[in-house]
Amino acid sequence: MVKKLDQREKNDIKEQIKTIEVGLKNNIFTYKNKLAIDMFAKLINKSTKNVINQLIKLNNNITYSSSYLLSEDQIAELCLEYGFDFKKEKEINERNIFENIKINDAEKDLKPRAPIVTIMGHVDHGKTTLLDYIKKSNLAKKEVGGITQSIGAYQIKYNNSPITFIDTPGHKAFGAMREMGANITDIVVLVVAADDGIKAQTKEAISQARSAGVPIIVFVNKMDKPGVNPEVIMNQLTDLSLTPEEWGGETILIKGSALTGLNVNQLIEAILLQAEMHEYKSNPNRLSIGTIIESGFEKGLGASNNIIVQTGTLKIGDYIIAGESYGKIKSIIDENGKQLKMVEPSKPAKIFGLNTPANAGQKFITVENEKQMKEFEERVNRLKSGEEMKIKIPNNPNQKNFNIILKSNTSGSLEAIKNMLGQTVIEGMNLNIVKNSIGGINDNDISIAKASNSIIIGFNVKPTKQISETADINRVKILFYDIIYKLYEDIEKMLIGELEPLVREEETGEALIQQIWQHSKIGTIAGCKCINGEINRNDSARVLRNGIVLYTTKIGSMKHFKDEVSKVKKDMEFGITLEKINDLIVGDMIQCYKIIKEKRSKA
């Protein structure tokens, strides 16, 4: 039998690459980015001194040096002074093609697709509860700290019409994630609690939705609470130019309750009405292009990437590129864990096969074959090596540097933490993120931390005993968190010097799981060997797999041979059960610790 050839239209990346020649030609100065004075002078065949003299004529309130970076306005002014025309051109290369790729599909090839709906609003206003009700699951109760800490996408069907929902976190720490959500969505559902009204994150969500140019549907939530007055919110919305339809405006506003389901069906029908009016379409018969909405490491499966396909169809065996991540798709599952063979436009899914987790918000492109993928990545790596610079710490004699290295288990959380810390301004202090990446804390992180005098912050990642000892030897401080706003609060306290007594973890021992038994009444029993320190019956415990924290729990029981024991020491073999944890495999590490209260030294 002759194998059927893939008839999907190809994504020609090479055709989209655009190289720009910077400099003066035919009396037109072409540039791509800001330029230092000495480089600008060289490109127009003038001396650095001559250019500086021209700048002083334009503005003598600034002290100029050869390395002074010219703004685009200053480049334009200088060109006019020298009698040149000027233009800025955008170079398309392997690093930025994902944001700039253009697809021109013929109208006849476009087919209707499900609308992509982003739920936005302030923290605790009921976004996850609303999505929870819509898809009849129980996500809201599973979140650490009571707030959503990663982006989830889910597709439902209502009267045989599919709708894809994205749940974006409302806490201020997740501004970047909300922005990314707004940029891939068709419709925004703005959730506003009837008993709380418009808040700062509500306004930010409105701004992001408007920037993305998408329609906004307002869902006034918690109408089941006694004494609420939705007219207060309607007034606030009108002040923000979102006048409800019932007041003569154009904004669809639904009053309901995510908890009881009041008018949730009306909301879904309003979404489908908007989708019908806008006629969302894409071409399913091409190699896929889409967006990474979350990524991380999956238990025993390696890098996982949650995606939404925006155009084309993604199939098992396809070769995809997502920034510096790439690979052949080995497995696809939907939000319910069902194995899929392909993913069509607007469909969310989780894929396996990439070499590393991609960044949240990163576009991905499917290419024709492995050769194209590898050629592209070789060019990416060459470009990256040419751009790499040594660690640079800002040198301001009037400020004290506070340097940190961030490690996280997922890209979404990593971006949220970076965005949150980037907004932290403490007079006299400079918060500098030296490095950030996904995965467990390793020797390289310790080396960089030592060289840059940084502390390491791990979010849902924890070092092994060996890495901790290396950190201690090198006097590198490692802090561990699993709730982002707690991380933010602690960093802020360190920066302002108002350090309160804190709860510290002291690691007592590590055990390597060597065997697994299942007991009908007890559950999972792990046969272990204590490889570091000692383990006490009353210790708290973490389960690590490849350096990633999977569970935090307490020890249920310990036995040495047939005897119950309260303590085991290094090199002893023993059996252990962990409270409410049965998902263990050979090779997992059980890391034990006790809680110690102590005063924290100032940063």
Side-chain angles (χ1 to χ4, degrees):
M1 182 181 289
V2 178
K3 185 178 179 181
K4 187 178 178 182
L5 296 175
D6 194 333
Q7 298 298 313
R8 289 175 294 169
E9 193 174 336
K10 309 301 183 285
N11 295 321
D12 194 336
I13 295 178
K14 286 183 180 179
E15 235 181 45
Q16 309 247 356
I17 300 294
K18 181 181 178 183
T19 303
I20 304 300
E21 186 179 345
V22 175
L24 185 62
K25 188 175 182 180
N26 298 328
N27 211 46
I28 300 173
F29 181 73
T30 304
Y31 67 101
K32 297 183 294 186
N33 301 301
K34 296 176 181 179
L35 291 166
I37 288 176
D38 55 358
M39 179 56 70
F40 177 77
K42 183 179 180 181
L43 289 169
I44 64 169
N45 199 27
K46 301 286 183 183
S47 69
T48 299
K49 184 178 180 180
N50 185 286
V51 173
I52 289 175
N53 287 337
Q54 289 290 346
L55 284 165
I56 291 171
K57 287 179 186 178
L58 294 168
N59 187 348
N60 61 9
N61 294 321
I62 299 175
T63 301
Y64 300 99
S65 67
S66 61
S67 60
Y68 177 89
L69 200 62
L70 296 169
S71 69
E72 291 182 24
D73 287 342
Q74 287 172 319
I75 292 173
E77 286 178 325
L78 285 168
C79 286
L80 292 173
E81 286 296 314
Y82 286 114
F84 307 143
D85 287 331
F86 59 90
K87 63 178 179 179
K88 182 181 180 182
E89 293 278 5
K90 188 165 191 176
E91 184 166 278
I92 308 298
N93 57 35
E94 289 81 3
R95 299 295 294 277
N96 66 2
I97 190 174
F98 300 93
E99 297 84 44
N100 296 287
I101 191 166
K102 293 178 182 177
I103 300 299
N104 298 311
D105 287 311
E107 183 66 30
K108 64 180 178 61
D109 296 328
L110 300 178
K111 307 295 181 187
R113 62 169 177 81
I116 301 172
V117 180
T118 301
I119 299 179
M120 304 178 86
H122 190 71
V123 65
D124 291 335
H125 277 203
K127 300 177 303 303
T128 304
T129 306
L130 174 60
L131 185 61
D132 202 28
Y133 184 89
I134 290 171
K135 63 190 187 65
K136 306 296 183 186
S137 71
N138 198 27
L139 283 184
K141 294 180 182 178
K142 297 179 183 177
E143 299 291 354
V144 177
I147 63 169
T148 307
Q149 299 206 47
S150 62
I151 290 181
Y154 310 88
Q155 192 171 87
I156 65 141
K157 276 194 175 180
Y158 184 83
N159 292 337
N160 289 322
S161 296
I163 306 172
T164 295
F165 286 94
I166 301 176
D167 178 30
T168 64
H171 190 270
K172 69 176 182 178
F174 297 89
M177 295 170 76
R178 284 203 308 278
E179 183 176 354
M180 184 274 290
N183 289 342
I184 63 172
T185 196
D186 299 312
I187 300 167
V188 163
V189 171
L190 184 70
V191 178
V192 185
D195 61 344
D196 205 16
I198 303 293
K199 295 294 179 182
Q201 274 75 55
T202 320
K203 293 179 181 177
E204 187 182 345
I206 292 170
S207 175
Q208 288 165 353
R210 281 176 170 157
S211 295
V214 297
I216 299 172
I217 299 173
V218 178
F219 185 76
V220 180
N221 192 25
K222 305 187 181 182
M223 288 298 295
D224 54 310
K225 288 196 170 185
V228 294
N229 182 6
E231 289 200 0
V232 173
I233 293 170
M234 293 167 75
N235 270 314
Q236 292 174 326
L237 289 167
T238 301
D239 290 341
L240 295 169
S241 301
L242 287 175
T243 306
E245 285 180 328
E246 63 182 277
W247 282 10
E250 297 181 354
T251 301
I252 299 173
L253 185 144
I254 312 292
K255 303 166 193 171
S257 168
L259 190 64
T260 66
L262 174 67
N263 288 334
V264 172
N265 284 353
Q266 187 179 337
L267 170 65
I268 296 173
E269 287 163 4
I271 290 169
L272 291 174
L273 178 62
Q274 285 287 316
E276 186 179 341
M277 289 171 57
H278 286 84
E279 296 184 325
Y280 300 117
K281 294 180 179 180
S282 65
N283 178 10
N285 191 33
R286 67 156 46 255
L287 296 180
S288 65
I289 297 174
T291 300
I292 307 289
I293 55 173
E294 180 60 289
S295 63
F297 287 98
E298 199 81 9
K299 311 169 191 175
L301 297 172
S304 67
N305 290 272
N306 294 359
I307 63 157
I308 285 186
V309 172
Q310 290 167 281
T311 187
T313 297
L314 178 69
K315 298 181 179 180
I316 289 177
D318 281 351
Y319 294 93
I320 76 168
I321 305 166
E324 294 173 21
S325 301
Y326 59 93
K328 181 180 180 180
I329 304 303
K330 296 177 180 176
S331 175
I332 307 173
I333 61 173
D334 68 10
E335 64 271 27
N336 300 310
K338 181 183 176 183
Q339 292 283 341
L340 304 175
K341 292 183 179 179
M342 64 176 64
V343 188
E344 294 187 328
S346 294
K347 176 69 179 173
K350 178 174 287 188
I351 59 173
F352 298 92
L354 271 66
N355 62 329
T356 60
N359 293 327
Q362 170 71 58
K363 287 276 187 181
F364 70 83
I365 302 170
T366 305
V367 293
E368 194 172 349
N369 51 47
E370 185 177 16
K371 182 183 176 183
Q372 285 185 5
M373 179 185 75
K374 288 186 174 179
E375 284 177 351
F376 185 90
E377 284 307 316
E378 283 172 6
R379 292 196 295 269
V380 168
N381 291 331
R382 283 199 299 270
L383 201 60
K384 181 184 175 185
S385 62
E387 294 171 351
E388 280 183 345
M389 299 174 67
K390 293 181 180 179
I391 297 167
K392 285 189 174 181
I393 307 299
N395 185 18
N396 186 334
N398 298 318
Q399 285 193 319
K400 180 182 177 182
N401 289 319
F402 189 85
N403 303 323
I404 61 176
I405 291 172
L406 290 176
K407 301 297 298 258
S408 176
N409 62 329
T410 68
S411 58
S413 295
L414 190 69
E415 290 304 310
I417 297 167
K418 285 164 54 183
N419 183 62
M420 173 189 64
L421 294 180
Q423 298 172 17
T424 305
V425 179
I426 304 295
E427 188 175 353
M429 293 294 296
N430 176 61
L431 179 60
N432 182 47
I433 300 175
V434 172
K435 177 191 174 186
N436 62 91
S437 61
I438 303 167
I441 298 167
N442 55 43
D443 286 318
N444 188 48
D445 298 322
I446 305 297
S447 299
I448 294 174
K450 182 180 180 182
S452 59
N453 192 27
S454 301
I455 66 169
I456 298 175
I457 294 177
F459 185 77
N460 276 333
V461 297
K462 196 78 169 79
T464 63
K465 183 71 174 176
Q466 180 184 353
I467 295 294
S468 294
E469 288 173 353
T470 303
D472 289 342
I473 292 169
N474 288 279
R475 297 183 179 179
V476 171
K477 188 174 185 178
I478 301 176
L479 302 178
F480 171 75
Y481 294 92
D482 59 4
I483 299 177
I484 289 185
Y485 56 74
K486 176 61 178 168
L487 182 159
Y488 174 77
E489 289 169 357
D490 279 7
I491 292 295
E492 192 174 56
K493 285 175 186 176
M494 291 182 209
L495 288 171
I496 63 178
E498 294 179 1
L499 304 177
E500 300 171 355
L502 77 120
V503 174
R504 179 174 67 83
E505 295 174 2
E506 183 178 282
E507 291 174 17
T508 54
E510 284 183 325
L512 179 67
I513 296 180
Q514 297 177 320
Q515 287 182 284
I516 295 291
W517 297 279
Q518 299 296 332
H519 192 284
S520 58
K521 294 182 179 179
I522 299 173
T524 300
I525 302 169
C528 302
K529 182 177 181 179
C530 181
I531 60 173
N532 285 303
E534 63 180 29
I535 296 175
N536 299 283
R537 170 65 179 79
N538 295 325
D539 285 348
S540 295
R542 270 186 293 267
V543 179
L544 278 72
R545 193 170 295 165
N546 299 322
I548 303 295
V549 178
L550 298 182
Y551 309 108
T552 299
T553 183
K554 290 187 175 294
I555 295 173
S557 63
M558 292 197 307
K559 280 189 175 183
H560 182 57
F561 294 110
K562 294 184 178 181
D563 300 323
E564 289 277 351
V565 291
S566 60
K567 179 187 295 185
V568 293
K569 295 185 177 181
K570 186 178 179 182
D571 296 330
M572 284 181 64
E573 293 184 338
F574 63 105
I576 191 171
T577 62
L578 301 176
E579 292 184 2
K580 299 180 180 179
I581 303 298
N582 289 304
D583 178 23
L584 300 172
I585 63 173
V586 172
D588 281 353
M589 190 78 74
I590 299 175
Q591 195 175 72
C592 298
Y593 60 96
K594 59 184 177 181
I595 305 298
I596 297 174
K597 291 186 177 181
E598 64 175 18
K599 287 188 176 181
R600 190 185 247 151
S601 59
K602 293 193 176 186

